[in-house]
Amino acid sequence: RRLACTTPRPAASRRAVLRGLTTLLAASLGALLPGHAATSPDRFPDGGTILVGGPEGGALSTWAARLAAALLDGQPDGAVLHRHDTGGADGVTAANQFEARVAPDGQTVLLAPGAAALAWLAGDPRAHYDVAKWLPIMAAVTPGMVCGRQAAVTLPVGARLRIAASGPAGPELPALLAAELLGLVPVPVFGVQDAAAARQALAAGRADAVFVSGPDSAADLAALAALGARPLFGTGCPDATGATRRDPLAPEVPTLADLAVSLRGQPPLGPLYTAWQACAGAANLDFALVLPVLAPAALVSLWRKAAVQLAATPRLQAPALRLLPAPGANDVLSAVAADAPVLLALRQWMASRLDWHPG
């Protein structure tokens, strides 16, 4: 059956929009729960909501449509999961609304980009939410790599490394912080807003290194290779112990710790390295699907079982993207959700090195 997946009209009440996700999810996942009888969605005609951290027609809006369609696939006529696109592409506005207005009843999920997590880590004055309070349902991650035309062995302690970056709290933050951890002097080249501009900066000799991430990273790496640039190290991915391992999508690329051992004889340690792990996790995060931390356990279980199904859906797969239900999503969000001493160390470093003044 072909089922509707709609976006609510602005005039619809929040309470009406939030009603009924319990029954919707029970219907969506009834096949997974032995002995569970699906309840008719007619009692909840407004359905549930995915709060999308980005504008209509943006990348996350497209993902929300795919996720909603997968959730509704094969369910009774009348089941509806609304999408509500909110704010800019960095997801900060949607995350603020999620924090301030969404009750922890498990009836609304937030689909947020990694940029929203980076804004929180950096202390962006616009970010009035706490990523540590997000309960992960699913994460989508991509490989992140720092690329340059210099060989790593030509980077002695104290060498300057010019890194193309959009701004102090942009996705290039892990590249800038990594240079510090390697004993280099990071020199940001700000105002570089996309991959094409980063390649131009590298080709023109204005930058020594660029940061590559996202679902299109394979094409970006090929374009950089044509300029003589190659990956120096990758941001890797966290495991259940909190350690950073090589990304399965780029196993040939060493991690920052690998490179530090090779160049300096020991891995990086301390709160700044923990801050780097958090920033790397956020920069690699294509999106996170999350509930409020106090959501009812029964609904958390339903959402997470749905995430397992979604991660196995062939039409949602992409070459440079991994869909992670729990526990993989937990590992990613746990790494991003840095504690107060780590946040303080990161923001003090950003203030001293990048002239960044957090709120």
Side-chain angles (χ1 to χ4, degrees), residues 29-90:
L29 297 165
L32 290 175
L33 302 175
H36 183 275
T39 305
S40 170
D42 295 341
R43 294 174 55 193
F44 305 96
D46 291 310
T49 298
I50 298 179
L51 181 61
V52 182
E56 184 176 358
L60 281 200
S61 183
T62 301
W63 265 111
R66 293 170 179 167
L67 296 175
L71 281 167
L72 294 170
D73 189 26
Q75 302 312 313
D77 287 332
V80 176
L81 186 61
H82 295 285
R83 304 189 310 273
H84 187 53
D85 303 304
T86 303
D90 62 11

Side-chain angles (χ1 to χ4, degrees), residues 262-347:
S262 173
L263 293 181
R264 314 297 182 221
Q266 60 184 10
L269 300 170
L272 269 185
Y273 179 60
T274 305
W276 177 84
Q277 290 176 301
C279 293
N284 292 354
L285 191 62
D286 197 62
F287 67 76
L289 189 69
V290 299
L291 283 168
V293 72
L294 296 178
L299 289 179
V300 173
S301 177
L302 289 174
W303 273 111
R304 285 183 166 171
K305 288 183 179 183
V308 171
Q309 285 190 312
L310 295 176
T313 302
R315 67 176 179 272
L316 299 183
Q317 308 307 312
L321 187 79
R322 289 188 296 134
L323 295 176
L324 300 175
N330 297 7
D331 297 339
V332 172
L333 267 294
S334 293
V336 172
D339 59 19
V342 170
L343 292 176
L344 179 62
L346 172 64
R347 294 168 188 179

Side-chain angles (χ1 to χ4, degrees), residues 148-199:
R149 289 190 288 194
Q150 293 177 265
V153 294
T154 67
L155 297 173
V157 171
R160 290 162 53 90
L161 188 68
R162 298 171 300 165
I163 300 172
S166 54
E172 305 83 10
L173 180 55
L176 294 164
L177 185 51
E180 181 82 24
L181 292 166
L182 288 170
L184 307 174
V185 178
V187 180
V189 181
F190 287 141
V192 181
Q193 298 297 330
D194 55 33
R199 290 195 298 273

